[in-house]
Amino acid sequence: MKVLLFIPLYITSVLCSYLSGLDRTFSEAEFKVVDLYVTMPESEIQNLIQSVQHSENQVQMGRTGEDFKYQNATIVAKWNGNEKVYENVSFKTGGMYARVNDKVGFNIKLPKKFLGRKNIRIRPDPSDRTHLRSKLCCDMANRLGLPSIQAIYARLYMNEEYWGLYTLMDSIKTSWIKQTFNPSVEEITTLIQCKSGGADLAPGTERKCVNANDDYPNMDVFKQFVDEINAAKTIEEVEKILDVDVFLKFMAMEWLIGSFDHFLVLGHNFYFYKRESDGKWIIIEYDYDNTFGNGLSNPTYWNSKKNGGAGGWNFGGAGGAGGANGWNFGGAGGANGWNFGGAGGAGGANGWNLGGAGGAGADMGNNNNVKLNARAVEDGVTADIKPNANANANVNVNANNGANEVVHYTFDFWELNRPIIDVLVHKNPERFKKIVHDVLVSAFNPSILNERIDELKEFLLPYVEEDSTPKDDGSLPGRINKAGKVRSASVSEFESEIENKLKEWIKIKFEVACEEYGLDGEEIIRESASFVPKSYDYGNNENNKAEKEDGNDKVKAENDEAQAEASQGLTDEAQTEADQGLTDEAKTESNQALAESNQSSSDECWSDVLGYSCCKKNCYVYYTDKDGKWGVEDNQWCGIIESVCEPKYASSQCYGETTKEYPCCEGCKTAYRDNNGKWGYENNNWCSIKYSCK
């Protein structure tokens, strides 16, 4: 019997489970902090500090002057035992409204690639005390299989002086399109950036966006796209020119994370790119600091709905009249209107009146005193009522806090009547319900997100403490804008905001989504446990191959490190058996079966054409992409032949069953892995992780 003395909890392969199997160039630095040492003349540092002295009023009025930019900086990047030197680096201030803060962000353009990218951004996100919102949202988009940026963490040193903790992300530029989509054209002329606000794909949207290629400012192609979108009356017509699934997943994600800073509300912080492969446009979003309730302490974006009007909503007091299809909380409801509370005004044609004496409802009108939801006692009123086919929206209203309880807003209330949303969502509710279901299963539910948050919280804790420790002069690191908003920072705020705001938003929003779309939350969690994420298919075989080649050296190092850490917690007997493949009989059986199968099916080796041989010793999957499943042998990638491995997998739930030596684990927590797969430790015994665990 094996006795486990200690199993390391901090094994990278386990901690990165939220992103495991995804094709990310930043994976090498996951759960590592990149130290960026920037060197430039001291006079330039002083110019930088002087240039960022902006008050909130100056930023709001657009009086911030030109960005600081120095194009001959030297950067030494250090991470995970690696070190790279970059000369002639462009280093400039970055961000828009975030410039009001005391700690500012920067844009960096490198002469050669760093983790697969030449353009990166570092952002302090000073209003986000969790330091998690940008990272978590980027991870979600990656896991959803959307074309998306990546995020890790960095510390910035300016001429050897520590300036603090930042979130490091790649930046969407024409070079990013080349590195990901790998189009055949030399110049990218159809990458459009919408960053100024109001870009909702309504007529004239092209005037609110710009061509990301400064050498090709012409917007005629994008204007044609906007015109075609507005001419389209059905989802089928839209699908001819727009990747609808990607668009709808981004829309569902915006709502779930509470982002008012993207398409559905403010209409900015995204790109549209016309794919070369099929001529369809695709949306790509960025900037996620204003999410999960951040920046929404006193929202005004939904006033048009709250105050009635066509399709409008009215909250509170006597209230004005709700317009056609309107919703009114106190006051008269118009045609197809609803009226909630007090004596209640008259409900118009097809009107409803809930509460109090209630006015008359003409033509199918209803006058009811209704207990809407058992949660009303504690949480206020939550209504989920659909009067007829003309009512597109559910209502979720917290009576205690009114419209400020934005986490309770349904999707229909959150989006600000964008015409394209009417075509794609309101006229196709089942399609969008399926999208919401898929997003909840794959990326947004308390089970997987809380686990991810806890991992990141533990990892970040010492770096947050460092970032919030005052220097000798009493100032915090990197807080160089003395005219800006002073943002407090402490470990206690970091921990409190995570537990009481971030996790609470996720919990409530998950419940709201399940309620609005009639989904079983427990079933969502069960499906999520076995979900296998896949990266967005950029259609770029060459880049994938190059990344595999670049990763060959690090695969050995990472695997050796993980095995060494796990081995420290094993008894001599356990380690000896692990080194032997757990049992000689099991190892012999596995290798013999593979050798026989490979001998008879060598012509089925799909990875040969990509320059890689097929695996001959094991079936353990280290990586999956659109080409297939990949293993590692002799520190090189090899293709896994599914016709060989799948029958063996299908005949049993786990590798241990095939040997009759070890039972399958009940859970999926991995303590050790070798060529035969993953191993857990339960009830004082080793067990084999089931194939269904990913």
Side-chain angles (χ1 to χ4, degrees):
M1 176 185 294
K2 300 177 182 64
V3 179
L4 186 67
L5 296 179
F6 171 72
I7 289 294
L9 297 178
Y10 206 81
I11 299 177
T12 303
S13 60
V14 178
L15 287 179
C16 296
S17 58
Y18 190 83
L19 300 174
S20 63
L22 297 179
D23 188 5
R24 299 173 68 250
T25 64
F26 282 14
S27 292
E28 181 179 346
E30 191 67 28
F31 286 100
K32 306 288 189 298
V33 165
V34 178
D35 288 327
L36 297 175
Y37 293 87
V38 180
T39 302
M40 64 179 68
E42 189 61 34
S43 60
E44 293 295 338
I45 298 286
Q46 295 307 312
N47 289 339
L48 162 60
I49 293 174
Q50 182 61 37
S51 71
V52 300
Q53 303 306 309
H54 304 311
S55 66
E56 184 173 9
N57 182 63
Q58 286 176 304
V59 174
Q60 290 176 338
M61 298 297 292
R63 299 199 307 267
T64 58
E66 294 184 1
D67 286 333
F68 168 84
K69 186 175 184 179
Y70 182 67
Q71 302 199 73
N72 197 30
T74 297
I75 292 184
V76 179
K78 299 180 180 180
W79 76 101
N80 196 26
N82 299 303
E83 179 174 324
K84 287 190 176 181
V85 179
Y86 301 88
E87 304 283 357
N88 302 317
V89 175
S90 172
F91 189 89
K92 66 184 292 291
T93 47
M96 293 182 64
Y97 185 73
R99 296 166 189 260
V100 305
N101 298 301
D102 52 357
K103 189 178 178 184
V104 301
F106 302 99
N107 298 337
I108 300 171
K109 184 176 181 180
L110 302 165
K112 54 185 178 181
K113 291 181 182 179
F114 164 76
L115 297 178
R117 300 289 183 261
K118 288 185 177 181
N119 289 278
I120 59 176
R121 300 177 301 147
I122 56 173
R123 295 291 186 266
D125 293 348
S127 65
D128 176 17
R129 295 187 179 94
T130 72
H131 296 271
L132 289 178
R133 286 177 167 92
S134 289
K135 167 64 174 168
L136 206 59
C137 292
C138 288
D139 288 355
M140 285 180 58
N142 296 165
R143 187 174 165 91
L144 281 168
L146 295 171
S148 49
I149 60 174
Q150 309 160 87
I152 50 177
Y153 291 98
R155 292 186 295 188
L156 177 64
Y157 296 84
M158 297 295 292
N159 285 0
E160 299 296 330
E161 180 185 350
Y162 172 65
W163 275 28
L165 178 67
Y166 293 76
T167 304
L168 187 156
M169 296 164 283
D170 47 346
S171 182
I172 301 173
K173 304 287 185 182
T174 55
S175 61
W176 187 89
I177 294 295
K178 288 184 177 181
Q179 292 160 16
T180 53
F181 288 92
N182 193 29
S184 62
V185 295
E186 184 66 24
E187 288 286 348
I188 307 299
T189 62
T190 57
L191 177 64
I192 308 299
Q193 184 179 18
C194 301
K195 64 178 181 179
S196 298
D200 55 6
L201 287 184
T205 288
E206 70 278 359
R207 295 192 296 271
K208 299 176 181 179
C209 305
V210 297
N211 198 311
N213 190 331
D214 294 336
D215 295 330
Y216 292 84
N218 190 286
M219 297 287 286
D220 288 347
V221 175
F222 187 63
K223 182 182 185 306
Q224 180 183 349
F225 165 64
V226 173
D227 291 343
E228 290 174 347
I229 284 290
N230 285 279
K233 303 302 180 185
T234 67
I235 193 170
E236 290 78 16
E237 292 175 346
V238 174
E239 281 188 305
K240 294 177 181 179
I241 53 176
L242 174 71
D243 190 320
V244 171
D245 276 347
V246 167
F247 183 83
L248 290 181
K249 282 184 179 180
F250 268 121
M251 298 306 102
M253 179 177 162
E254 280 188 36
W255 168 57
L256 291 169
I257 64 177
S259 173
F260 60 88
D261 225 4
H262 290 98
F263 183 88
L264 291 174
V265 181
L266 291 184
H268 68 166
N269 289 338
F270 54 83
Y271 288 80
F272 277 103
Y273 170 61
K274 187 175 183 180
R275 281 191 309 232
E276 183 182 74
S277 59
D278 58 5
K280 291 186 179 182
W281 291 84
I282 190 167
I283 190 172
I284 310 170
E285 297 187 342
Y286 64 96
D287 274 5
Y288 292 109
D289 53 324
N290 286 320
T291 52
F292 298 101
N294 195 37
L296 285 175
S297 58
N298 186 29
T300 59
Y301 309 117
W302 297 271
N303 282 351
S304 62
K305 287 195 171 185
K306 296 176 218 168
N307 292 330
W313 304 59
N314 186 59
F315 292 76
N325 293 305
W327 300 70
N328 183 54
F329 291 73
N336 293 309
W338 292 66
N339 184 56
F340 291 73
N350 294 306
W352 291 66
N353 184 58
L354 304 182
D363 183 14
M364 295 181 64
N366 290 269
N367 181 29
N368 299 300
N369 285 300
V370 182
K371 182 178 180 182
L372 298 175
N373 192 297
R375 290 195 329 225
V377 176
E378 296 182 359
D379 296 337
V381 179
T382 300
D384 184 12
I385 306 169
K386 294 185 178 179
N388 53 46
N390 294 323
N392 291 323
N394 293 352
V395 183
N396 280 275
V397 180
N398 187 295
N400 296 324
N401 296 298
N404 289 337
E405 286 293 328
V406 293
V407 70
H408 292 281
Y409 287 178
T410 63
F411 178 86
D412 293 345
F413 187 71
W414 182 273
E415 70 92 5
L416 297 183
N417 303 322
R418 306 301 191 210
I420 190 174
I421 298 300
D422 183 52
V423 173
L424 299 182
V425 177
H426 301 321
K427 293 181 179 178
N428 295 275
E430 290 303 313
R431 172 83 171 262
F432 191 64
K433 177 180 178 179
K434 177 64 166 56
I435 291 288
V436 172
H437 168 273
D438 292 347
V439 173
L440 295 179
V441 167
S442 60
F444 189 96
N445 65 71
S447 178
I448 57 174
L449 279 181
N450 285 350
E451 181 181 4
R452 178 65 171 167
I453 289 168
D454 289 342
E455 293 170 352
L456 290 168
K457 176 184 173 183
E458 180 182 358
F459 164 70
L460 281 176
L461 186 59
Y463 302 105
V464 172
E465 184 174 10
E466 181 183 34
D467 182 77
S468 57
T469 300
K471 300 184 295 183
D472 292 340
D473 63 2
S475 65
L476 292 174
R479 277 62 169 187
I480 58 175
N481 180 11
K482 304 304 180 183
K485 280 187 176 180
V486 177
R487 299 289 188 176
S488 61
S490 68
V491 170
S492 61
E493 288 176 328
F494 165 71
E495 295 178 323
S496 175
E497 183 111 352
I498 288 175
E499 298 301 326
N500 299 322
K501 292 187 178 180
L502 187 59
K503 287 185 177 180
E504 185 66 10
W505 177 283
I506 293 167
K507 173 182 177 294
I508 294 174
K509 202 66 185 183
F510 179 73
E511 293 171 351
V512 169
C514 289
E515 182 177 350
E516 179 179 3
Y517 292 100
L519 302 172
D520 184 333
E522 292 183 359
E523 178 61 27
I524 294 288
I525 299 298
R526 284 193 293 270
E527 291 182 49
S528 180
S530 59
F531 174 79
V532 181
K534 294 182 179 179
S535 294
Y536 176 76
D537 182 5
Y538 291 96
N540 187 354
N541 290 333
E542 290 305 312
N543 274 1
N544 291 337
K545 180 177 178 180
E547 286 164 14
K548 292 186 186 75
E549 290 171 346
D550 291 340
N552 282 339
D553 292 337
K554 71 181 180 183
V555 166
K556 181 180 185 300
E558 290 177 353
N559 290 342
D560 289 348
E561 179 184 356
Q563 184 165 333
E565 290 178 2
S567 299
Q568 290 176 4
L570 309 180
T571 64
D572 291 340
E573 177 189 357
Q575 181 60 48
T576 299
E577 293 188 6
D579 290 340
Q580 292 176 347
L582 296 178
T583 67
D584 290 336
E585 179 184 353
K587 183 174 181 180
T588 301
E589 179 181 340
S590 174
N591 290 345
Q592 181 179 356
L594 274 167
E596 292 174 354
S597 298
N598 283 337
Q599 184 176 1
S600 61
S601 58
S602 59
D603 58 336
E604 299 178 15
C605 183
W606 55 270
S607 60
D608 273 344
V609 296
L610 299 174
Y612 300 91
S613 61
C614 282
C615 302
K616 296 180 174 61
K617 301 176 183 177
N618 70 83
C619 290
Y620 181 68
V621 178
Y622 281 83
Y623 176 78
T624 301
D625 62 11
K626 65 185 184 60
D627 295 321
K629 297 177 180 178
W630 297 87
V632 175
E633 289 181 357
D634 300 324
N635 300 320
Q636 295 292 322
W637 291 103
C638 57
I640 291 178
I641 305 175
E642 295 192 14
S643 62
V644 173
C645 294
E646 285 186 353
K648 184 184 75 169
Y649 283 17
S651 66
S652 58
Q653 296 186 67
C654 67
Y655 173 77
E657 277 192 350
T658 66
T659 68
K660 311 299 183 183
E661 293 286 334
Y662 299 97
C664 295
C665 299
E666 292 297 321
C668 294
K669 190 172 183 63
T670 301
Y672 182 78
R673 69 180 185 182
D674 63 11
N675 286 342
N676 296 313
K678 298 179 181 179
W679 300 88
Y681 195 82
E682 297 176 352
N683 302 318
N684 296 320
N685 283 294
W686 286 99
C687 57
S688 181
I689 300 292
K690 293 178 181 177
Y691 298 131
S692 59
C693 293
K694 303 296 181 184

